[in-house]
């Protein structure tokens, strides 16, 4: 939040009542969603209801000790974020106050109140390199210069969306703070490296397009079976210990996004601390630079006021849109949207609104979809292509997917990665349940995989899905009568399915090679198993007993393809040996 908003203070009001994060005030001159400062300490809040003289405010800071009679000031402006260089490598709280600044101002993170800190350092100087000259015409959204924001990211300074644009009459070059004018237009508009934007309003774009490129994650089960598009939406439920953290780290590290915005929303303090401690340690495998050089962390832990869970979600998506406008592919991860929904429920019940399903407000679905709708693949205002992909974690209590937050999320998102506690217990990682997960992007992404990987990408995948489906059905019989009671061809199907699970679906995030699997290698592993399948069934038809087929020496090597650096040669050899060893049996 910018301090600039404090300049336009309107008429004061007085606190009438305080109920947790919900405060009512009388005599306040404010509009819906205006930011207000509450009480003697000036706690930040937002107007959420106006009824006659009574204004209801959700307060983003702890309200204990605040009481009736204390003043309330309206800023007359909605909640905004500061946008500009310095957001990469930053760690923010739910209202975009940098945690390191808070810490030095307050001597403790998380427990401060009433402290204002701008989201970006207003004094720090950045090296501005103009890309326009005097006499050039620029329109709203156009890039006027660049700043090396971090070792990885070049920040593009754009004409703000609410500027008219015009002819450039003055251009600076060199070191400037974000508040200094770097480009001046003939209509008097002065462009700085700093923009503010109201978080509840999507930043404008020229066109939202159908996403046709995958956000390649390097995780076989995701890219191979349940791909998400660049600009797509996904939900991932994360029961404790099922590998949510590892999956998120893997996506942050390997997904082919330029920028990662990670929103930790209402999770327990120690889990968020883990992220805050872990992320700065991680290297970006693509550049060798620190991962934080292309990452922004927003941390709102469960011990922070619930209302700020909502603001951290909106702050995150607005920052993501801003980098999208520069033409970047941004991946936003929100962990967990369930905690945000719980915050809505708490505020709603304090407002005594009519509760919907399980006490959640009736507008739960609308809020969730407003958030996910800001994802997408766009032509930006300045004609670039940029995307925001949103991956929302959900924490269904007891792992029960029928609860309202999971159900409403599933209606909106197009990819669902069902983390499964049972698989995790069996040490099948990533513990993504292939029977429950799905991706509605498959068909629109297939042409990309066909063009960039192999012609029969979709057919190979379908073959694998069919075998796994068949295994699923056979398992029921096996549980009743045992595997040996099955006919030999079905026993062989189970063996093929086992290799699909072990060699293809499982992937070790901690192995230096297996941690990332290119789509080509993902496809390669599938074809190796498919070769085994075809040759094994030929052998079976020729009368070879299934035990002998299973026992060939080469087959278990399928499980080691993942860890091979030189996988192409390895697969080639393996296919030849499997074929040879099976044909020797008849
Ligand atoms: P959660 O965050 O859901 O509680 P974690 O992500 O911490 O769970 O995962 C728990 C453990 O599971 C990890 O410490 C790790 O041993 C194992 N694990 C999870 N995912 C993988 C993976 N892809 N590869 C290897 N091990 C994994």
């Amino acid at each position: 939040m910018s301090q600039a908003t404090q300049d336009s203070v309107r008429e004061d009001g007085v606190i009438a009542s305080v109920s947790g994060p919900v405060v009512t005030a009388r005599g306040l001159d404010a509009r819906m969603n205006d930011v207000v400062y509450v009480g003697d300490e000036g706690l930040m809040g937002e107007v959420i209801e106006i009824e006659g003289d009574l204004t209801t405010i959700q307060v983003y800071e702890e309200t204990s000790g605040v009481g009736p009679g204390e003043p309330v000031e309206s800023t007359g402006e909605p909640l905004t974020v500061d946008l500009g260089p310095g957001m990469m490598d930053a760690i923010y709280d739910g209202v975009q106050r940098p945690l390191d600044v808070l810490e030095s101002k307050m001597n403790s993170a998380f427990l401060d109140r009433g402290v204002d800190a701008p989201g970006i350092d207003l004094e720090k100087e950045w090296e501005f390199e103009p890309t326009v000259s005097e006499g050039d015409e620029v329109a709203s959204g156009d890039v006027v210069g660049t700043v090396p924001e971090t070792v990885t990211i070049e920040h593009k300074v754009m004409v703000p969306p609410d500027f008219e644009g015009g002819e450039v009459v003055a251009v600076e070059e060199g070191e400037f703070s974000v508040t200094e004018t770097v480009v001046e237009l003939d209509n008097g508009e002065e462009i700085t490296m700093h923009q503010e934007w109201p978080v509840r309003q999507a930043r404008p774009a020229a066109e939202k397009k159908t996403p046709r490129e995958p956000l390649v994650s390097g995780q076989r089960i995701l890219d191979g079976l349940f791909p998400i598009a660049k600009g797509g939406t996904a939900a991932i439920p994360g029961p404790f210990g099922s590998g949510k953290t590892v999956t998120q780290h893997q996506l942050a590290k390997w997904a082919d996004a330029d920028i990662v915005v990670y929103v930790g929303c209402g999770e327990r303090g120690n889990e968020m601390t883990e992220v805050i401690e872990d992320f700065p340690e991680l290297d970006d495998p693509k550049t060798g630079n620190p991962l934080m050089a292309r990452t922004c962390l927003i941390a709102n832990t469960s011990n922070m006021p619930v209302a700020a869970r909502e603001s951290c979600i909106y702050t995150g998506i607005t920052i993501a849109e801003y980098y999208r406008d520069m033409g970047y592919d941004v991946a936003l991860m929100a962990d967990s949207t369930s905690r945000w929904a719980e915050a809505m429920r708490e505020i709603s019940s304090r407002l005594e609104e009519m509760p919907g399903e399980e006490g959640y407000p009736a507008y739960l679905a609308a809020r969730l979809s407003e958030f996910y709708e800001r994802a997408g693949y766009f032509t930006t205002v300045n004609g670039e292509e940029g995307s925001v992909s949103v991956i929302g974690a959900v924490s269904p209590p007891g792992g029960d997917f029928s609860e309202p937050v999971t159900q409403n999320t599933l209606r909106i998102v197009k990819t669902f990665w069902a983390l499964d506690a049972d698989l995790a217990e069996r040490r099948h990682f990533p513990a993504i349940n292939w029977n429950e997960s799905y991706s509605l992007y498959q068909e629109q992404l297939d042409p990309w995989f066909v063009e960039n990987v192999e012609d029969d990408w979709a057919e190979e995948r379908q073959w694998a899905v069919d075998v796994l489906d068949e295994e699923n059905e056979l398992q029921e019989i096996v549980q009743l009568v045992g595997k040996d009671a099955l006919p030999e061809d079905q026993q062989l199907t189970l063996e093929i399915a086992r290799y699909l699970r072990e060699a293809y679906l499982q992937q070790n995030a901690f192995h230096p090679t297996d941690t990332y699997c290119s789509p080509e290698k993902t496809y390669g592993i599938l074809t190796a198993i498919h070769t085994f399948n075809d040759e094994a069934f030929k052998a079976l038809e020729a009368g070879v007993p299934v035990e002998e087929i299973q026992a060939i020496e080469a087959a278990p090597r399928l499980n080691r393809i993942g860890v091979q650096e030189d996988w192409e040669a390895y697969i080639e050899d393996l296919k030849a040996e499997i074929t040879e060893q099976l044909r020797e049996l008849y």
Side-chain angles (χ1 to χ4, degrees), residues 238-247 250 274 419 427 429-430 507-510:
F240 179 74
S242 60
K244 194 168 56 129
T245 311
V246 175
T247 308
Q250 289 298 91
E274 213 173 277
L419 280 180
R427 316 274 322 146
F429 290 117
Q507 187 173 352
N508 184 353
F510 302 110

Side-chain angles (χ1 to χ4, degrees), residues 66-83:
V66 177
E70 290 185 39
V72 181
E73 285 173 17
S74 171
T75 61
E77 287 181 21
L79 185 66
T80 58
V81 279
D82 290 305
L83 301 167

Side-chain angles (χ1 to χ4, degrees), residues 358-508:
E358 292 189 21
Y360 288 102
Y363 47 79
L364 170 70
R367 287 281 171 87
L368 287 172
S369 73
E370 260 168 45
F371 164 62
Y372 282 105
E373 265 166 25
R374 287 172 74 170
Y377 192 95
F378 294 88
T379 303
T380 64
V381 176
N382 58 29
E384 298 259 0
E385 310 254 290
S387 66
V388 174
S389 312
V390 173
I391 297 155
V394 210
S395 338
D400 171 13
F401 293 166
S402 69
E403 58 89 40
V405 184
T406 312
Q407 283 304 309
N408 280 301
T409 305
L410 288 186
R411 266 179 226 130
I412 306 162
V413 300
K414 297 217 165 120
T415 319
F416 181 53
W417 299 325
L419 280 180
D420 184 318
D422 290 339
L423 286 175
E425 201 165 301
R426 290 182 353 227
R427 316 274 322 146
H428 173 112
F429 290 117
I432 294 169
N433 184 313
W434 55 94
N435 294 314
E436 289 187 47
S437 303
Y438 60 82
S439 165
L440 302 182
Y441 295 111
Q442 240 172 32
E443 270 175 38
Q444 73 203 57
L445 297 179
D446 277 347
W448 186 94
F449 285 108
V450 166
E451 193 176 317
N452 291 278
V453 188
E454 273 316 321
D455 288 345
D456 60 348
W457 172 271
E459 290 78 15
E460 280 298 319
R461 177 188 59 221
Q462 195 52 49
W463 168 74
V465 169
D466 290 344
V467 175
L468 290 167
D469 279 351
E470 203 177 334
E471 181 195 38
N472 198 27
E473 283 166 27
L474 291 176
Q475 284 301 353
E476 288 172 27
I477 306 172
V478 170
Q479 268 161 20
L480 288 176
V481 295
K483 190 173 166 189
D484 295 340
L486 291 179
E488 289 208 313
D489 60 334
Q490 293 185 342
Q491 290 187 35
L492 189 51
T493 298
L494 288 180
E495 182 72 355
I496 306 295
R498 184 173 68 82
Y499 281 115
L500 281 174
R501 285 189 280 107
E502 294 177 359
Y504 185 68
L505 299 181
Q506 290 192 16
Q507 187 173 352
N508 184 353

Side-chain angles (χ1 to χ4, degrees), residues 548-569:
E548 277 183 43
I549 294 171
Q550 289 172 0
I552 63 161
E553 176 272 330
R557 270 189 266 156
L558 287 166
N559 283 349
R560 296 210 298 275
I561 307 174
V563 300
Q564 302 304 317
E565 196 86 56
D566 189 9
W567 56 271
E568 278 161 310

